[in-house]
Amino acid sequence: MKQKITTKESAIAQVQSGMVLMVGGFGLVGCPLSLVDELYRQGQRDLTIISNNVGEPGRGLSKLLEAGRIRKVIGSYFTSNPKVGERYLAGELEVQLMPQGTFAEAIRAGGAGIGGFYTRASAGTLLEEGKETRVIDGELYVFERPLVADVALIRAHRADRLGNLVYRKTARNFNPVMATAARLVIAEVDEIVEPGALDPEAVVTPHLYVDYIVQTG
Amino acid sequence: MDVKHLIARRAAQELRDGDVVNLGIGIPTLVADYVPPGIDVFLHTENGLLGVGPAPAEGEADPDLVNAGKLPITETIGSAYFSSAESFAMIRGKHIDVAFLGALQVDGRGRIANWSVPGQTILGVGGAMDLLVGARRIIVTMIHTARDGSTKIVPELTLPITADRSADMIITDLATFAVEPEGLRLVDVAAGVSVDEVRAKTGVPFIVDGGLKIRDA
């Protein structure tokens, strides 16, 4: 059987320049910082990043951004990192902004084989522009396409050797849906345990979604 | 007490026992400090927790436990964690009883602009649009006038609108308005504030009837 536990070096070596990456986290909370730092060290570029935010200046994904290695970002809130605005205004970064709930649901749809969905969020606003709309039961809805990625970098609290994951507090955020929506899923975890040590009723991400497990640090 | 706290204290009077409540960033966050005695509410935060407790004591912050403003919080007894996708399913699916939101502008029909700052490139929306379309009741809390003294309650929004759905109530440091089919109705005025002063500082006409009260909190 395939051994999922590996090092951050070999896991991140599977990311190639030009790929689309999902990266978990709400700000830096629940962001797989060891994997992101290793990606920064290895030098892949021309990346499309699907993540709610892009780190903070000098930390997390912002290091890749500041090094000019991110081509496009897709997420809901980039205002908290002024480096995003600087790059965007300089014409060096493409930004796709989505309501946060639409962003989460598009990833869920991508991982669940759903070809898109209609939501009330953004109807009648600037973010609706260019999108298909439809009136359902008298209210305006906006059609949103699913999001998928080549690789997802996620953060969990504990994994068993099979790849079952449990999360910790609000560090869960986008990680469980991102685990479902990429061809290759790399999970950074605080602790790796034997199968049977996690309560099956408490497992949030079943192991079939997870390709590699990396101990944080 | 400064005006932000006065607004939050008035806003908390709208809470009902058992409400599930989402608090936006800024004045809405302060509402939690003024929940009336004898009323139990459950605070929801978009990043994946139902059961937000007060800020932790100095030195006891858990890095995995933050609110939508990325500030440290605690969990209450009986709380539950969930992913961002489920959190926004709760929001859009009308499972949140009341959401308190800040606003930059409100029009005479109670429609709001609160996601795009004047003169700045639009790079963030977060959960504002999802909350506005999904919460069962929307209460805007804001300072009545902008820093330059101009009113924030305007005939036409000049900033990008957040949703085609109207708020239900607007609470400022000067007055409270209910949003009704025929327009805004003045519910109360703060102690020491006259209807004429409210009229002078409000950019749209509003209904004044026999139900007008002087705010006692």
Side-chain angles (χ1 to χ4, degrees), chain B residues 75-105:
Chain B
E75 64 185 31
T76 57
I77 290 170
S79 59
Y81 293 103
F82 33 83
S83 74
S84 302
E86 181 154 9
S87 185
F88 280 92
M90 293 171 181
I91 291 169
R92 286 186 314 263
K94 300 198 160 41
H95 305 285
I96 305 296
D97 294 306
V98 52
F100 292 89
L101 302 173
L104 297 162
Q105 285 181 333

Coordinates of all heavy atoms in Angstrom, one line a residue, chain B residues 75-105:
Chain B
E75 N -14.1 29.9 23.1 CA -15.3 29.2 22.7 C -16.2 29.1 24.0 O -15.7 29.0 25.1 CB -14.9 27.8 22.2 CG -14.2 26.9 23.2 CD -13.7 25.6 22.7 OE1 -13.4 25.5 21.5 OE2 -13.7 24.6 23.5
T76 N -17.5 29.0 23.8 CA -18.4 28.9 25.0 C -18.7 27.4 25.1 O -18.5 26.6 24.2 CB -19.7 29.6 24.7 OG1 -20.3 29.2 23.5 CG2 -19.5 31.1 24.7
I77 N -19.3 27.0 26.3 CA -19.7 25.7 26.5 C -20.9 25.4 25.5 O -21.8 26.3 25.3 CB -20.2 25.5 27.9 CG1 -19.0 25.5 28.8 CG2 -21.0 24.2 28.1 CD1 -19.3 25.6 30.3
G78 N -20.8 24.3 24.8 CA -21.9 24.0 23.8 C -21.6 24.5 22.4 O -22.5 24.5 21.6
S79 N -20.4 24.9 22.2 CA -20.1 25.5 20.9 C -19.7 24.4 19.9 O -19.5 23.2 20.2 CB -18.9 26.5 21.0 OG -17.7 25.8 21.5
A80 N -19.7 24.7 18.6 CA -19.4 23.8 17.5 C -18.6 24.4 16.4 O -18.8 25.6 16.1 CB -20.7 23.2 16.9
Y81 N -17.6 23.7 15.9 CA -16.8 24.1 14.8 C -17.2 23.5 13.5 O -17.7 22.4 13.5 CB -15.3 23.8 15.0 CG -14.7 24.5 16.2 CD1 -14.5 23.9 17.4 CD2 -14.4 25.9 16.1 CE1 -14.0 24.6 18.5 CE2 -13.8 26.5 17.1 CZ -13.6 25.9 18.3 OH -13.1 26.6 19.4
F82 N -17.0 24.2 12.4 CA -17.4 23.7 11.1 C -16.6 24.4 10.0 O -15.9 25.4 10.3 CB -18.9 23.9 10.8 CG -19.5 25.1 11.4 CD1 -19.4 26.3 10.8 CD2 -20.1 25.1 12.7 CE1 -19.8 27.5 11.4 CE2 -20.6 26.2 13.3 CZ -20.4 27.5 12.6
S83 N -16.6 23.8 8.8 CA -15.8 24.4 7.7 C -16.5 25.7 7.2 O -17.6 26.0 7.5 CB -15.8 23.4 6.5 OG -17.0 23.4 5.9
S84 N -15.7 26.5 6.4 CA -16.2 27.7 5.8 C -17.4 27.4 4.9 O -18.3 28.2 4.8 CB -15.1 28.4 5.0 OG -14.0 28.6 5.8
A85 N -17.4 26.3 4.2 CA -18.5 26.0 3.3 C -19.8 25.8 4.1 O -20.8 26.3 3.7 CB -18.2 24.7 2.4
E86 N -19.7 25.1 5.2 CA -20.9 24.9 6.0 C -21.3 26.2 6.7 O -22.5 26.5 6.8 CB -20.6 23.8 7.1 CG -21.8 23.6 7.9 CD -21.9 22.2 8.5 OE1 -21.0 21.4 8.5 OE2 -23.0 21.9 9.1
S87 N -20.3 27.0 7.1 CA -20.6 28.2 7.7 C -21.4 29.1 6.8 O -22.4 29.8 7.3 CB -19.3 29.0 8.1 OG -19.6 30.1 8.8
F88 N -21.1 29.2 5.6 CA -21.8 30.0 4.6 C -23.1 29.4 4.1 O -24.0 30.1 3.7 CB -20.9 30.5 3.5 CG -20.0 31.6 3.9 CD1 -18.8 31.4 4.4 CD2 -20.5 32.9 3.9 CE1 -18.0 32.5 4.9 CE2 -19.7 34.0 4.3 CZ -18.5 33.8 4.8
A89 N -23.2 28.1 4.2 CA -24.5 27.4 4.0 C -25.4 27.9 5.1 O -26.6 28.1 4.8 CB -24.3 25.9 4.0
M90 N -25.0 28.0 6.3 CA -25.8 28.5 7.4 C -26.3 29.9 7.1 O -27.4 30.2 7.4 CB -25.0 28.5 8.7 CG -24.6 27.1 9.3 SD -23.5 27.3 10.7 CE -23.2 25.6 11.0
I91 N -25.3 30.7 6.6 CA -25.6 32.1 6.4 C -26.6 32.2 5.2 O -27.7 32.8 5.4 CB -24.3 32.9 6.1 CG1 -23.5 33.0 7.4 CG2 -24.7 34.3 5.5 CD1 -22.1 33.5 7.1
R92 N -26.3 31.7 4.0 CA -27.2 31.8 2.9 C -28.5 31.1 3.1 O -29.6 31.5 2.6 CB -26.5 31.3 1.6 CG -25.5 32.1 1.0 CD -25.0 31.5 -0.3 NE -24.8 30.1 -0.1 CZ -23.7 29.5 0.1 NH1 -22.6 30.2 0.1 NH2 -23.6 28.2 0.3
G93 N -28.5 30.0 3.9 CA -29.6 29.2 4.1 C -30.6 29.7 5.1 O -31.5 29.0 5.5
K94 N -30.4 30.9 5.5 CA -31.3 31.6 6.5 C -31.4 31.0 7.8 O -32.4 31.0 8.5 CB -32.7 31.8 5.8 CG -32.7 32.6 4.5 CD -34.0 33.1 4.1 CE -34.0 34.2 3.1 NZ -33.0 34.2 2.1
H95 N -30.3 30.5 8.3 CA -30.2 29.9 9.6 C -29.6 30.9 10.7 O -29.5 30.5 11.8 CB -29.3 28.6 9.6 CG -29.8 27.6 8.6 ND1 -30.9 26.9 8.8 CD2 -29.4 27.3 7.4 CE1 -31.1 26.1 7.7 NE2 -30.2 26.4 6.8
I96 N -29.3 32.1 10.2 CA -28.8 33.1 11.1 C -30.0 34.1 11.4 O -30.5 34.6 10.5 CB -27.6 33.9 10.5 CG1 -26.5 33.0 10.0 CG2 -27.1 35.0 11.5 CD1 -25.8 32.2 11.1
D97 N -30.3 34.2 12.7 CA -31.5 35.1 13.0 C -31.2 36.5 12.7 O -32.1 37.2 12.2 CB -31.9 34.9 14.5 CG -32.4 33.4 14.7 OD1 -33.3 33.0 14.0 OD2 -31.8 32.8 15.6
V98 N -30.1 37.0 13.1 CA -29.8 38.4 13.0 C -28.3 38.7 12.7 O -27.5 38.0 13.3 CB -30.3 39.3 14.2 CG1 -29.9 38.7 15.5 CG2 -30.0 40.7 14.1
A99 N -28.0 39.6 11.8 CA -26.7 39.9 11.5 C -26.6 41.4 11.7 O -27.4 42.2 11.2 CB -26.3 39.6 10.1
F100 N -25.5 41.8 12.5 CA -25.2 43.3 12.7 C -24.1 43.6 11.7 O -23.0 42.9 11.8 CB -24.8 43.5 14.1 CG -25.9 43.4 15.1 CD1 -26.2 42.1 15.7 CD2 -26.8 44.4 15.4 CE1 -27.3 42.0 16.6 CE2 -27.8 44.3 16.3 CZ -28.1 43.0 16.9
L101 N -24.2 44.6 10.9 CA -23.2 45.0 9.9 C -22.9 46.5 10.0 O -23.8 47.3 10.3 CB -23.8 44.8 8.5 CG -24.2 43.4 8.1 CD1 -24.9 43.4 6.7 CD2 -23.0 42.4 8.1
G102 N -21.7 46.8 9.7 CA -21.3 48.2 9.6 C -21.7 48.7 8.2 O -22.0 47.8 7.3
A103 N -21.8 50.0 7.9 CA -22.0 50.5 6.6 C -21.3 51.8 6.3 O -21.1 52.6 7.2 CB -23.5 50.6 6.4
L104 N -21.0 52.0 5.1 CA -20.4 53.3 4.7 C -21.5 54.2 4.2 O -21.4 55.4 4.4 CB -19.4 53.1 3.5 CG -18.2 52.2 3.9 CD1 -17.5 51.7 2.7 CD2 -17.2 53.0 4.8
Q105 N -22.5 53.6 3.6 CA -23.7 54.4 3.1 C -24.9 53.5 3.2 O -24.8 52.3 3.0 CB -23.5 54.8 1.6 CG -22.5 56.0 1.4 CD -22.5 56.3 -0.1 OE1 -22.7 55.5 -0.9 NE2 -22.1 57.6 -0.3

